[in-house]
PDB file of all heavy atoms in Angstrom:
ATOM      1  N   MET A  23      -3.785 -69.353  53.069  1.00  0.00           N
ATOM      2  CA  MET A  23      -2.554 -70.049  52.707  1.00  0.00           C
ATOM      3  C   MET A  23      -1.354 -69.504  53.470  1.00  0.00           C
ATOM      4  O   MET A  23      -0.395 -70.230  53.747  1.00  0.00           O
ATOM      5  CB  MET A  23      -2.299 -69.928  51.202  1.00  0.00           C
ATOM      6  CG  MET A  23      -3.308 -70.607  50.301  1.00  0.00           C
ATOM      7  SD  MET A  23      -3.420 -72.399  50.492  1.00  0.00           S
ATOM      8  CE  MET A  23      -4.970 -72.520  51.421  1.00  0.00           C
ATOM      9  N   LEU A  24      -1.411 -68.224  53.826  1.00  0.00           N
ATOM     10  CA  LEU A  24      -0.306 -67.587  54.546  1.00  0.00           C
ATOM     11  C   LEU A  24      -0.440 -67.729  56.060  1.00  0.00           C
ATOM     12  O   LEU A  24       0.343 -67.153  56.811  1.00  0.00           O
ATOM     13  CB  LEU A  24      -0.212 -66.105  54.171  1.00  0.00           C
ATOM     14  CG  LEU A  24       0.180 -65.828  52.712  1.00  0.00           C
ATOM     15  CD1 LEU A  24       0.116 -64.338  52.415  1.00  0.00           C
ATOM     16  CD2 LEU A  24       1.568 -66.374  52.406  1.00  0.00           C
ATOM     17  N   GLY A  25      -1.460 -68.469  56.503  1.00  0.00           N
ATOM     18  CA  GLY A  25      -1.574 -68.792  57.920  1.00  0.00           C
ATOM     19  C   GLY A  25      -2.477 -67.901  58.734  1.00  0.00           C
ATOM     20  O   GLY A  25      -2.401 -67.904  59.974  1.00  0.00           O
ATOM     21  N   ALA A  26      -3.343 -67.127  58.096  1.00  0.00           N
ATOM     22  CA  ALA A  26      -4.259 -66.254  58.844  1.00  0.00           C
ATOM     23  C   ALA A  26      -5.219 -67.092  59.682  1.00  0.00           C
ATOM     24  O   ALA A  26      -5.670 -68.165  59.257  1.00  0.00           O
ATOM     25  CB  ALA A  26      -5.034 -65.358  57.882  1.00  0.00           C
ATOM     26  N   SER A  27      -5.549 -66.594  60.859  1.00  0.00           N
ATOM     27  CA  SER A  27      -6.469 -67.311  61.744  1.00  0.00           C
ATOM     28  C   SER A  27      -7.909 -67.146  61.273  1.00  0.00           C
ATOM     29  O   SER A  27      -8.208 -66.308  60.408  1.00  0.00           O
ATOM     30  CB  SER A  27      -6.340 -66.777  63.172  1.00  0.00           C
ATOM     31  OG  SER A  27      -6.760 -65.412  63.226  1.00  0.00           O
ATOM     32  N   SER A  28      -8.801 -67.947  61.838  1.00  0.00           N
ATOM     33  CA  SER A  28     -10.221 -67.844  61.482  1.00  0.00           C
ATOM     34  C   SER A  28     -10.781 -66.471  61.814  1.00  0.00           C
ATOM     35  O   SER A  28     -11.579 -65.913  61.052  1.00  0.00           O
ATOM     36  CB  SER A  28     -11.024 -68.934  62.215  1.00  0.00           C
ATOM     37  OG  SER A  28     -10.590 -70.224  61.835  1.00  0.00           O
ATOM     38  N   ASP A  29     -10.365 -65.917  62.957  1.00  0.00           N
ATOM     39  CA  ASP A  29     -10.838 -64.573  63.340  1.00  0.00           C
ATOM     40  C   ASP A  29     -10.360 -63.531  62.328  1.00  0.00           C
ATOM     41  O   ASP A  29     -11.118 -62.632  61.940  1.00  0.00           O
ATOM     42  CB  ASP A  29     -10.319 -64.218  64.735  1.00  0.00           C
ATOM     43  CG  ASP A  29     -10.981 -65.050  65.833  1.00  0.00           C
ATOM     44  OD1 ASP A  29     -12.071 -65.607  65.570  1.00  0.00           O
ATOM     45  OD2 ASP A  29     -10.395 -65.148  66.926  1.00  0.00           O
ATOM     46  N   ALA A  30      -9.109 -63.662  61.896  1.00  0.00           N
ATOM     47  CA  ALA A  30      -8.582 -62.714  60.919  1.00  0.00           C
ATOM     48  C   ALA A  30      -9.325 -62.820  59.596  1.00  0.00           C
ATOM     49  O   ALA A  30      -9.624 -61.811  58.953  1.00  0.00           O
ATOM     50  CB  ALA A  30      -7.088 -62.962  60.708  1.00  0.00           C
ATOM     51  N   LEU A  31      -9.660 -64.044  59.194  1.00  0.00           N
ATOM     52  CA  LEU A  31     -10.398 -64.246  57.942  1.00  0.00           C
ATOM     53  C   LEU A  31     -11.783 -63.622  58.015  1.00  0.00           C
ATOM     54  O   LEU A  31     -12.275 -63.036  57.051  1.00  0.00           O
ATOM     55  CB  LEU A  31     -10.505 -65.739  57.624  1.00  0.00           C
ATOM     56  CG  LEU A  31      -9.206 -66.446  57.239  1.00  0.00           C
ATOM     57  CD1 LEU A  31      -9.455 -67.942  57.057  1.00  0.00           C
ATOM     58  CD2 LEU A  31      -8.616 -65.840  55.975  1.00  0.00           C
ATOM     59  N   LEU A  32     -12.431 -63.744  59.187  1.00  0.00           N
ATOM     60  CA  LEU A  32     -13.757 -63.139  59.357  1.00  0.00           C
ATOM     61  C   LEU A  32     -13.666 -61.615  59.272  1.00  0.00           C
ATOM     62  O   LEU A  32     -14.535 -60.964  58.681  1.00  0.00           O
ATOM     63  CB  LEU A  32     -14.355 -63.565  60.705  1.00  0.00           C
ATOM     64  CG  LEU A  32     -14.848 -65.013  60.808  1.00  0.00           C
ATOM     65  CD1 LEU A  32     -15.292 -65.317  62.237  1.00  0.00           C
ATOM     66  CD2 LEU A  32     -15.993 -65.258  59.831  1.00  0.00           C
ATOM     67  N   ILE A  33     -12.619 -61.053  59.857  1.00  0.00           N
ATOM     68  CA  ILE A  33     -12.436 -59.601  59.799  1.00  0.00           C
ATOM     69  C   ILE A  33     -12.193 -59.153  58.357  1.00  0.00           C
ATOM     70  O   ILE A  33     -12.765 -58.157  57.893  1.00  0.00           O
ATOM     71  CB  ILE A  33     -11.259 -59.173  60.704  1.00  0.00           C
ATOM     72  CG1 ILE A  33     -11.614 -59.420  62.179  1.00  0.00           C
ATOM     73  CG2 ILE A  33     -10.920 -57.703  60.482  1.00  0.00           C
ATOM     74  CD1 ILE A  33     -10.461 -59.182  63.138  1.00  0.00           C
ATOM     75  N   ILE A  34     -11.352 -59.911  57.645  1.00  0.00           N
ATOM     76  CA  ILE A  34     -11.065 -59.571  56.240  1.00  0.00           C
ATOM     77  C   ILE A  34     -12.338 -59.644  55.401  1.00  0.00           C
ATOM     78  O   ILE A  34     -12.643 -58.735  54.618  1.00  0.00           O
ATOM     79  CB  ILE A  34      -9.994 -60.526  55.671  1.00  0.00           C
ATOM     80  CG1 ILE A  34      -8.652 -60.274  56.354  1.00  0.00           C
ATOM     81  CG2 ILE A  34      -9.862 -60.339  54.152  1.00  0.00           C
ATOM     82  CD1 ILE A  34      -7.583 -61.290  56.002  1.00  0.00           C
ATOM     83  N   ALA A  35     -13.091 -60.733  55.572  1.00  0.00           N
ATOM     84  CA  ALA A  35     -14.323 -60.905  54.798  1.00  0.00           C
ATOM     85  C   ALA A  35     -15.327 -59.800  55.117  1.00  0.00           C
ATOM     86  O   ALA A  35     -15.944 -59.213  54.216  1.00  0.00           O
ATOM     87  CB  ALA A  35     -14.935 -62.278  55.083  1.00  0.00           C
ATOM     88  N   GLY A  36     -15.488 -59.504  56.410  1.00  0.00           N
ATOM     89  CA  GLY A  36     -16.431 -58.464  56.799  1.00  0.00           C
ATOM     90  C   GLY A  36     -16.038 -57.104  56.257  1.00  0.00           C
ATOM     91  O   GLY A  36     -16.876 -56.344  55.762  1.00  0.00           O
ATOM     92  N   ALA A  37     -14.747 -56.798  56.340  1.00  0.00           N
ATOM     93  CA  ALA A  37     -14.271 -55.503  55.846  1.00  0.00           C
ATOM     94  C   ALA A  37     -14.496 -55.375  54.348  1.00  0.00           C
ATOM     95  O   ALA A  37     -14.923 -54.322  53.860  1.00  0.00           O
ATOM     96  CB  ALA A  37     -12.796 -55.334  56.186  1.00  0.00           C
ATOM     97  N   MET A  38     -14.223 -56.445  53.603  1.00  0.00           N
ATOM     98  CA  MET A  38     -14.383 -56.378  52.151  1.00  0.00           C
ATOM     99  C   MET A  38     -15.854 -56.297  51.755  1.00  0.00           C
ATOM    100  O   MET A  38     -16.215 -55.596  50.807  1.00  0.00           O
ATOM    101  CB  MET A  38     -13.724 -57.588  51.487  1.00  0.00           C
ATOM    102  CG  MET A  38     -12.208 -57.628  51.660  1.00  0.00           C
ATOM    103  SD  MET A  38     -11.411 -58.915  50.692  1.00  0.00           S
ATOM    104  CE  MET A  38     -11.530 -58.193  49.033  1.00  0.00           C
ATOM    105  N   LEU A  39     -16.707 -57.013  52.481  1.00  0.00           N
ATOM    106  CA  LEU A  39     -18.134 -56.982  52.160  1.00  0.00           C
ATOM    107  C   LEU A  39     -18.761 -55.637  52.502  1.00  0.00           C
ATOM    108  O   LEU A  39     -19.650 -55.149  51.790  1.00  0.00           O
ATOM    109  CB  LEU A  39     -18.862 -58.102  52.911  1.00  0.00           C
ATOM    110  CG  LEU A  39     -18.614 -59.525  52.399  1.00  0.00           C
ATOM    111  CD1 LEU A  39     -19.234 -60.553  53.347  1.00  0.00           C
ATOM    112  CD2 LEU A  39     -19.179 -59.703  50.992  1.00  0.00           C
ATOM    113  N   LEU A  40     -18.303 -55.024  53.596  1.00  0.00           N
ATOM    114  CA  LEU A  40     -18.887 -53.750  54.033  1.00  0.00           C
ATOM    115  C   LEU A  40     -18.232 -52.546  53.363  1.00  0.00           C
ATOM    116  O   LEU A  40     -18.916 -51.626  52.903  1.00  0.00           O
ATOM    117  CB  LEU A  40     -18.764 -53.618  55.556  1.00  0.00           C
ATOM    118  CG  LEU A  40     -19.591 -54.611  56.388  1.00  0.00           C
ATOM    119  CD1 LEU A  40     -19.282 -54.443  57.866  1.00  0.00           C
ATOM    120  CD2 LEU A  40     -21.088 -54.409  56.137  1.00  0.00           C
ATOM    121  N   LEU A  41     -16.894 -52.559  53.323  1.00  0.00           N
ATOM    122  CA  LEU A  41     -16.170 -51.403  52.796  1.00  0.00           C
ATOM    123  C   LEU A  41     -15.953 -51.481  51.292  1.00  0.00           C
ATOM    124  O   LEU A  41     -15.789 -50.442  50.639  1.00  0.00           O
ATOM    125  CB  LEU A  41     -14.816 -51.274  53.506  1.00  0.00           C
ATOM    126  CG  LEU A  41     -14.868 -51.105  55.028  1.00  0.00           C
ATOM    127  CD1 LEU A  41     -13.462 -50.999  55.604  1.00  0.00           C
ATOM    128  CD2 LEU A  41     -15.709 -49.890  55.403  1.00  0.00           C
ATOM    129  N   GLY A  42     -15.938 -52.694  50.745  1.00  0.00           N
ATOM    130  CA  GLY A  42     -15.716 -52.856  49.311  1.00  0.00           C
ATOM    131  C   GLY A  42     -16.711 -52.084  48.462  1.00  0.00           C
ATOM    132  O   GLY A  42     -16.304 -51.317  47.572  1.00  0.00           O
ATOM    133  N   PRO A  43     -18.025 -52.259  48.699  1.00  0.00           N
ATOM    134  CA  PRO A  43     -19.001 -51.507  47.908  1.00  0.00           C
ATOM    135  C   PRO A  43     -18.854 -49.987  48.061  1.00  0.00           C
ATOM    136  O   PRO A  43     -19.059 -49.239  47.105  1.00  0.00           O
ATOM    137  CB  PRO A  43     -20.348 -51.993  48.452  1.00  0.00           C
ATOM    138  CG  PRO A  43     -20.064 -53.346  49.003  1.00  0.00           C
ATOM    139  CD  PRO A  43     -18.674 -53.254  49.562  1.00  0.00           C
ATOM    140  N   LEU A  44     -18.506 -49.535  49.276  1.00  0.00           N
ATOM    141  CA  LEU A  44     -18.315 -48.102  49.485  1.00  0.00           C
ATOM    142  C   LEU A  44     -17.115 -47.593  48.681  1.00  0.00           C
ATOM    143  O   LEU A  44     -17.174 -46.528  48.061  1.00  0.00           O
ATOM    144  CB  LEU A  44     -18.108 -47.809  50.975  1.00  0.00           C
ATOM    145  CG  LEU A  44     -19.301 -48.118  51.899  1.00  0.00           C
ATOM    146  CD1 LEU A  44     -18.915 -47.856  53.347  1.00  0.00           C
ATOM    147  CD2 LEU A  44     -20.514 -47.277  51.501  1.00  0.00           C
ATOM    148  N   ALA A  45     -16.025 -48.363  48.703  1.00  0.00           N
ATOM    149  CA  ALA A  45     -14.841 -47.969  47.945  1.00  0.00           C
ATOM    150  C   ALA A  45     -15.128 -47.964  46.447  1.00  0.00           C
ATOM    151  O   ALA A  45     -14.730 -47.041  45.729  1.00  0.00           O
ATOM    152  CB  ALA A  45     -13.682 -48.923  48.259  1.00  0.00           C
ATOM    153  N   TRP A  46     -15.856 -48.977  45.980  1.00  0.00           N
ATOM    154  CA  TRP A  46     -16.185 -49.044  44.556  1.00  0.00           C
ATOM    155  C   TRP A  46     -17.120 -47.898  44.164  1.00  0.00           C
ATOM    156  O   TRP A  46     -16.997 -47.315  43.094  1.00  0.00           O
ATOM    157  CB  TRP A  46     -16.805 -50.383  44.231  1.00  0.00           C
ATOM    158  CG  TRP A  46     -17.118 -50.575  42.772  1.00  0.00           C
ATOM    159  CD1 TRP A  46     -18.344 -50.723  42.206  1.00  0.00           C
ATOM    160  CD2 TRP A  46     -16.186 -50.639  41.692  1.00  0.00           C
ATOM    161  NE1 TRP A  46     -18.247 -50.882  40.852  1.00  0.00           N
ATOM    162  CE2 TRP A  46     -16.928 -50.836  40.501  1.00  0.00           C
ATOM    163  CE3 TRP A  46     -14.800 -50.548  41.613  1.00  0.00           C
ATOM    164  CZ2 TRP A  46     -16.323 -50.928  39.255  1.00  0.00           C
ATOM    165  CZ3 TRP A  46     -14.189 -50.649  40.369  1.00  0.00           C
ATOM    166  CH2 TRP A  46     -14.958 -50.841  39.206  1.00  0.00           C
ATOM    167  N   GLY A  47     -18.049 -47.564  45.065  1.00  0.00           N
ATOM    168  CA  GLY A  47     -18.934 -46.432  44.809  1.00  0.00           C
ATOM    169  C   GLY A  47     -18.172 -45.132  44.698  1.00  0.00           C
ATOM    170  O   GLY A  47     -18.473 -44.293  43.845  1.00  0.00           O
ATOM    171  N   PHE A  48     -17.158 -44.954  45.556  1.00  0.00           N
ATOM    172  CA  PHE A  48     -16.331 -43.754  45.485  1.00  0.00           C
ATOM    173  C   PHE A  48     -15.587 -43.695  44.151  1.00  0.00           C
ATOM    174  O   PHE A  48     -15.492 -42.631  43.520  1.00  0.00           O
ATOM    175  CB  PHE A  48     -15.339 -43.735  46.654  1.00  0.00           C
ATOM    176  CG  PHE A  48     -14.352 -42.604  46.592  1.00  0.00           C
ATOM    177  CD1 PHE A  48     -14.732 -41.314  46.943  1.00  0.00           C
ATOM    178  CD2 PHE A  48     -13.038 -42.835  46.173  1.00  0.00           C
ATOM    179  CE1 PHE A  48     -13.820 -40.267  46.879  1.00  0.00           C
ATOM    180  CE2 PHE A  48     -12.128 -41.794  46.109  1.00  0.00           C
ATOM    181  CZ  PHE A  48     -12.514 -40.512  46.466  1.00  0.00           C
ATOM    182  N   VAL A  49     -15.040 -44.847  43.715  1.00  0.00           N
ATOM    183  CA  VAL A  49     -14.326 -44.896  42.433  1.00  0.00           C
ATOM    184  C   VAL A  49     -15.268 -44.529  41.293  1.00  0.00           C
ATOM    185  O   VAL A  49     -14.907 -43.775  40.375  1.00  0.00           O
ATOM    186  CB  VAL A  49     -13.717 -46.290  42.209  1.00  0.00           C
ATOM    187  CG1 VAL A  49     -13.168 -46.422  40.792  1.00  0.00           C
ATOM    188  CG2 VAL A  49     -12.608 -46.548  43.219  1.00  0.00           C
ATOM    189  N   ARG A  50     -16.495 -45.042  41.344  1.00  0.00           N
ATOM    190  CA  ARG A  50     -17.476 -44.718  40.304  1.00  0.00           C
ATOM    191  C   ARG A  50     -17.760 -43.216  40.270  1.00  0.00           C
ATOM    192  O   ARG A  50     -17.887 -42.620  39.197  1.00  0.00           O
ATOM    193  CB  ARG A  50     -18.767 -45.503  40.542  1.00  0.00           C
ATOM    194  CG  ARG A  50     -18.672 -46.976  40.172  1.00  0.00           C
ATOM    195  CD  ARG A  50     -19.896 -47.739  40.691  1.00  0.00           C
ATOM    196  NE  ARG A  50     -21.132 -47.171  40.180  1.00  0.00           N
ATOM    197  CZ  ARG A  50     -21.711 -47.526  39.025  1.00  0.00           C
ATOM    198  NH1 ARG A  50     -21.127 -48.426  38.246  1.00  0.00           N
ATOM    199  NH2 ARG A  50     -22.852 -46.977  38.649  1.00  0.00           N
ATOM    200  N   GLN A  51     -17.871 -42.606  41.438  1.00  0.00           N
ATOM    201  CA  GLN A  51     -18.139 -41.177  41.496  1.00  0.00           C
ATOM    202  C   GLN A  51     -16.983 -40.369  40.905  1.00  0.00           C
ATOM    203  O   GLN A  51     -17.206 -39.343  40.252  1.00  0.00           O
ATOM    204  CB  GLN A  51     -18.382 -40.745  42.939  1.00  0.00           C
ATOM    205  CG  GLN A  51     -19.759 -41.124  43.464  1.00  0.00           C
ATOM    206  CD  GLN A  51     -20.004 -40.547  44.837  1.00  0.00           C
ATOM    207  OE1 GLN A  51     -19.124 -40.530  45.691  1.00  0.00           O
ATOM    208  NE2 GLN A  51     -21.214 -40.056  45.064  1.00  0.00           N
ATOM    209  N   THR A  52     -15.756 -40.823  41.112  1.00  0.00           N
ATOM    210  CA  THR A  52     -14.613 -40.117  40.531  1.00  0.00           C
ATOM    211  C   THR A  52     -14.620 -40.178  39.011  1.00  0.00           C
ATOM    212  O   THR A  52     -13.976 -39.356  38.354  1.00  0.00           O
ATOM    213  CB  THR A  52     -13.279 -40.699  41.044  1.00  0.00           C
ATOM    214  OG1 THR A  52     -13.151 -42.065  40.619  1.00  0.00           O
ATOM    215  CG2 THR A  52     -13.200 -40.608  42.557  1.00  0.00           C
ATOM    216  N   ARG A  53     -15.360 -41.167  38.450  1.00  0.00           N
ATOM    217  CA  ARG A  53     -15.470 -41.285  37.000  1.00  0.00           C
ATOM    218  C   ARG A  53     -16.734 -40.613  36.467  1.00  0.00           C
ATOM    219  O   ARG A  53     -17.081 -40.747  35.294  1.00  0.00           O
ATOM    220  CB  ARG A  53     -15.459 -42.758  36.570  1.00  0.00           C
ATOM    221  CG  ARG A  53     -14.245 -43.547  37.020  1.00  0.00           C
ATOM    222  CD  ARG A  53     -12.939 -42.925  36.578  1.00  0.00           C
ATOM    223  NE  ARG A  53     -12.873 -42.735  35.121  1.00  0.00           N
ATOM    224  CZ  ARG A  53     -11.874 -42.174  34.490  1.00  0.00           C
ATOM    225  NH1 ARG A  53     -10.845 -41.696  35.179  1.00  0.00           N
ATOM    226  NH2 ARG A  53     -11.876 -42.053  33.170  1.00  0.00           N
ATOM    227  N   GLY A  54     -17.449 -39.886  37.373  1.00  0.00           N
ATOM    228  CA  GLY A  54     -18.601 -39.110  36.946  1.00  0.00           C
ATOM    229  C   GLY A  54     -19.890 -39.888  36.799  1.00  0.00           C
ATOM    230  O   GLY A  54     -20.806 -39.438  36.104  1.00  0.00           O
ATOM    231  N   ILE A  55     -20.009 -41.035  37.456  1.00  0.00           N
ATOM    232  CA  ILE A  55     -21.254 -41.808  37.415  1.00  0.00           C
ATOM    233  C   ILE A  55     -21.726 -42.056  38.839  1.00  0.00           C
ATOM    234  O   ILE A  55     -20.938 -41.963  39.789  1.00  0.00           O
ATOM    235  CB  ILE A  55     -21.068 -43.147  36.666  1.00  0.00           C
ATOM    236  CG1 ILE A  55     -19.965 -43.989  37.318  1.00  0.00           C
ATOM    237  CG2 ILE A  55     -20.752 -42.921  35.197  1.00  0.00           C
ATOM    238  CD1 ILE A  55     -19.793 -45.347  36.669  1.00  0.00           C
ATOM    239  N   PRO A  56     -23.035 -42.363  39.043  1.00  0.00           N
ATOM    240  CA  PRO A  56     -23.549 -42.579  40.395  1.00  0.00           C
ATOM    241  C   PRO A  56     -22.795 -43.680  41.130  1.00  0.00           C
ATOM    242  O   PRO A  56     -22.332 -44.647  40.521  1.00  0.00           O
ATOM    243  CB  PRO A  56     -25.011 -42.963  40.156  1.00  0.00           C
ATOM    244  CG  PRO A  56     -25.351 -42.389  38.823  1.00  0.00           C
ATOM    245  CD  PRO A  56     -24.091 -42.458  38.021  1.00  0.00           C
ATOM    246  N   ALA A  57     -22.683 -43.523  42.443  1.00  0.00           N
ATOM    247  CA  ALA A  57     -21.955 -44.506  43.245  1.00  0.00           C
ATOM    248  C   ALA A  57     -22.634 -45.867  43.231  1.00  0.00           C
ATOM    249  O   ALA A  57     -21.973 -46.900  43.154  1.00  0.00           O
ATOM    250  CB  ALA A  57     -21.822 -43.995  44.687  1.00  0.00           C
ATOM    251  N   PHE A  58     -23.951 -45.872  43.304  1.00  0.00           N
ATOM    252  CA  PHE A  58     -24.685 -47.137  43.370  1.00  0.00           C
ATOM    253  C   PHE A  58     -25.874 -47.069  42.432  1.00  0.00           C
ATOM    254  O   PHE A  58     -26.778 -46.269  42.621  1.00  0.00           O
ATOM    255  CB  PHE A  58     -25.186 -47.409  44.794  1.00  0.00           C
ATOM    256  CG  PHE A  58     -24.089 -47.393  45.823  1.00  0.00           C
ATOM    257  CD1 PHE A  58     -23.919 -46.299  46.651  1.00  0.00           C
ATOM    258  CD2 PHE A  58     -23.226 -48.469  45.949  1.00  0.00           C
ATOM    259  CE1 PHE A  58     -22.902 -46.269  47.589  1.00  0.00           C
ATOM    260  CE2 PHE A  58     -22.214 -48.451  46.889  1.00  0.00           C
ATOM    261  CZ  PHE A  58     -22.049 -47.350  47.715  1.00  0.00           C
ATOM    262  N   ASP A  59     -25.828 -47.906  41.427  1.00  0.00           N
ATOM    263  CA  ASP A  59     -26.995 -48.085  40.579  1.00  0.00           C
ATOM    264  C   ASP A  59     -26.883 -49.441  39.892  1.00  0.00           C
ATOM    265  O   ASP A  59     -25.962 -50.210  40.156  1.00  0.00           O
ATOM    266  CB  ASP A  59     -27.144 -46.949  39.566  1.00  0.00           C
ATOM    267  CG  ASP A  59     -26.026 -46.908  38.546  1.00  0.00           C
ATOM    268  OD1 ASP A  59     -25.250 -47.882  38.436  1.00  0.00           O
ATOM    269  OD2 ASP A  59     -25.919 -45.888  37.859  1.00  0.00           O
ATOM    270  N   ASN A  60     -27.816 -49.740  39.023  1.00  0.00           N
ATOM    271  CA  ASN A  60     -27.853 -51.041  38.361  1.00  0.00           C
ATOM    272  C   ASN A  60     -27.386 -50.971  36.916  1.00  0.00           C
ATOM    273  O   ASN A  60     -27.731 -51.812  36.093  1.00  0.00           O
ATOM    274  CB  ASN A  60     -29.272 -51.628  38.390  1.00  0.00           C
ATOM    275  CG  ASN A  60     -29.722 -51.954  39.789  1.00  0.00           C
ATOM    276  OD1 ASN A  60     -28.938 -52.464  40.585  1.00  0.00           O
ATOM    277  ND2 ASN A  60     -30.968 -51.646  40.106  1.00  0.00           N
ATOM    278  N   ASN A  61     -26.602 -49.930  36.599  1.00  0.00           N
ATOM    279  CA  ASN A  61     -26.131 -49.769  35.231  1.00  0.00           C
ATOM    280  C   ASN A  61     -24.922 -50.670  34.994  1.00  0.00           C
ATOM    281  O   ASN A  61     -23.781 -50.268  35.159  1.00  0.00           O
ATOM    282  CB  ASN A  61     -25.745 -48.314  34.974  1.00  0.00           C
ATOM    283  CG  ASN A  61     -25.303 -48.098  33.532  1.00  0.00           C
ATOM    284  OD1 ASN A  61     -25.529 -48.956  32.687  1.00  0.00           O
ATOM    285  ND2 ASN A  61     -24.681 -46.962  33.280  1.00  0.00           N
ATOM    286  N   LEU A  62     -25.177 -51.923  34.635  1.00  0.00           N
ATOM    287  CA  LEU A  62     -24.113 -52.893  34.442  1.00  0.00           C
ATOM    288  C   LEU A  62     -23.218 -52.524  33.277  1.00  0.00           C
ATOM    289  O   LEU A  62     -22.078 -52.962  33.196  1.00  0.00           O
ATOM    290  CB  LEU A  62     -24.712 -54.286  34.214  1.00  0.00           C
ATOM    291  CG  LEU A  62     -25.496 -54.862  35.405  1.00  0.00           C
ATOM    292  CD1 LEU A  62     -26.023 -56.247  35.028  1.00  0.00           C
ATOM    293  CD2 LEU A  62     -24.650 -54.942  36.656  1.00  0.00           C
ATOM    294  N   ALA A  63     -23.725 -51.710  32.355  1.00  0.00           N
ATOM    295  CA  ALA A  63     -22.918 -51.348  31.197  1.00  0.00           C
ATOM    296  C   ALA A  63     -21.684 -50.566  31.610  1.00  0.00           C
ATOM    297  O   ALA A  63     -20.684 -50.538  30.906  1.00  0.00           O
ATOM    298  CB  ALA A  63     -23.747 -50.530  30.209  1.00  0.00           C
ATOM    299  N   ALA A  64     -21.758 -49.915  32.770  1.00  0.00           N
ATOM    300  CA  ALA A  64     -20.618 -49.129  33.231  1.00  0.00           C
ATOM    301  C   ALA A  64     -19.564 -49.993  33.893  1.00  0.00           C
ATOM    302  O   ALA A  64     -18.527 -49.503  34.278  1.00  0.00           O
ATOM    303  CB  ALA A  64     -21.085 -48.045  34.216  1.00  0.00           C
ATOM    304  N   TRP A  65     -19.849 -51.307  34.064  1.00  0.00           N
ATOM    305  CA  TRP A  65     -18.904 -52.173  34.750  1.00  0.00           C
ATOM    306  C   TRP A  65     -18.167 -53.110  33.812  1.00  0.00           C
ATOM    307  O   TRP A  65     -17.396 -53.927  34.251  1.00  0.00           O
ATOM    308  CB  TRP A  65     -19.641 -53.029  35.779  1.00  0.00           C
ATOM    309  CG  TRP A  65     -20.223 -52.236  36.884  1.00  0.00           C
ATOM    310  CD1 TRP A  65     -19.962 -50.947  37.207  1.00  0.00           C
ATOM    311  CD2 TRP A  65     -21.187 -52.694  37.829  1.00  0.00           C
ATOM    312  NE1 TRP A  65     -20.695 -50.562  38.281  1.00  0.00           N
ATOM    313  CE2 TRP A  65     -21.457 -51.621  38.686  1.00  0.00           C
ATOM    314  CE3 TRP A  65     -21.832 -53.901  38.036  1.00  0.00           C
ATOM    315  CZ2 TRP A  65     -22.349 -51.720  39.731  1.00  0.00           C
ATOM    316  CZ3 TRP A  65     -22.720 -54.008  39.072  1.00  0.00           C
ATOM    317  CH2 TRP A  65     -22.986 -52.930  39.915  1.00  0.00           C
ATOM    318  N   ARG A  66     -18.462 -53.055  32.519  1.00  0.00           N
ATOM    319  CA  ARG A  66     -17.816 -53.999  31.633  1.00  0.00           C
ATOM    320  C   ARG A  66     -17.494 -53.355  30.290  1.00  0.00           C
ATOM    321  O   ARG A  66     -18.093 -52.364  29.908  1.00  0.00           O
ATOM    322  CB  ARG A  66     -18.703 -55.237  31.417  1.00  0.00           C
ATOM    323  CG  ARG A  66     -20.048 -54.899  30.828  1.00  0.00           C
ATOM    324  CD  ARG A  66     -20.930 -56.132  30.737  1.00  0.00           C
ATOM    325  NE  ARG A  66     -20.308 -57.140  29.896  1.00  0.00           N
ATOM    326  CZ  ARG A  66     -20.871 -58.302  29.658  1.00  0.00           C
ATOM    327  NH1 ARG A  66     -22.021 -58.623  30.208  1.00  0.00           N
ATOM    328  NH2 ARG A  66     -20.280 -59.176  28.882  1.00  0.00           N
ATOM    329  N   LEU A  67     -16.556 -53.917  29.618  1.00  0.00           N
ATOM    330  CA  LEU A  67     -16.197 -53.410  28.306  1.00  0.00           C
ATOM    331  C   LEU A  67     -17.313 -53.685  27.320  1.00  0.00           C
ATOM    332  O   LEU A  67     -17.931 -54.756  27.368  1.00  0.00           O
ATOM    333  CB  LEU A  67     -14.927 -54.101  27.806  1.00  0.00           C
ATOM    334  CG  LEU A  67     -13.612 -53.627  28.449  1.00  0.00           C
ATOM    335  CD1 LEU A  67     -12.497 -54.557  28.000  1.00  0.00           C
ATOM    336  CD2 LEU A  67     -13.293 -52.210  28.034  1.00  0.00           C
ATOM    337  N   PRO A  68     -17.596 -52.767  26.413  1.00  0.00           N
ATOM    338  CA  PRO A  68     -18.622 -53.035  25.408  1.00  0.00           C
ATOM    339  C   PRO A  68     -18.154 -54.112  24.449  1.00  0.00           C
ATOM    340  O   PRO A  68     -16.972 -54.184  24.110  1.00  0.00           O
ATOM    341  CB  PRO A  68     -18.750 -51.684  24.679  1.00  0.00           C
ATOM    342  CG  PRO A  68     -17.438 -51.011  24.895  1.00  0.00           C
ATOM    343  CD  PRO A  68     -16.967 -51.441  26.243  1.00  0.00           C
TER     344      PRO A  68
END
């Protein structure tokens, strides 16, 4: 909507898909849980 080019959108999408999980894993580790696992209970309110 702000006028980003197709190349810029591809870079944004790629960065979020590749770096997003790593960043989220780091956040999980700071909370004392494994960076990557299938424990969905840790991702939502009970």
